[in-house]
Amino acid sequence: NQACFNTQVDVSADLVIIKDGPRRVCAGLESATYTLTVTNFGPATAMSVVVNDTIASQFTIVGVVSPTPACAFNGRVLVCN
């Protein structure tokens, strides 16, 4: 005899964000570039993910280069979704 049944297995996304760039920026430095990398180690697809990164007031925001998904500045906050 066998007894069989279905079980629900909850899966979730496992997101990691890495911010890479200079730790120290001095006055007179022409520019500084920071890179945000978001990786999903799964096993599920990450849905409706939004990344915010506030830029310090000492910086002049020049722009953003972004692959899909799109990123844009909302004031001094970089928003990617």
Side-chain angles (χ1 to χ4, degrees):
N1 287 346
Q2 283 186 331
C4 298
F5 55 94
N6 293 327
T7 61
Q8 181 176 343
V9 177
D10 292 328
V11 295
S12 60
D14 181 10
L15 296 176
V16 174
I17 300 175
I18 297 174
K19 184 175 183 177
D20 188 34
R23 290 178 178 254
R24 184 175 177 188
V25 178
C26 299
L29 182 65
E30 248 182 61
S31 66
T33 300
Y34 292 89
T35 303
L36 293 168
T37 304
V38 181
T39 305
N40 179 10
F41 289 101
T45 300
M47 305 294 287
S48 302
V49 175
V50 176
V51 175
N52 293 322
D53 187 32
T54 302
I55 309 303
S57 62
Q58 296 88 345
F59 288 95
T60 300
I61 299 169
V62 175
V64 61
V65 176
S66 171
T68 302
C71 295
F73 283 101
N74 182 1
R76 299 204 64 78
V77 178
L78 176 64
V79 179
C80 301
N81 54 20

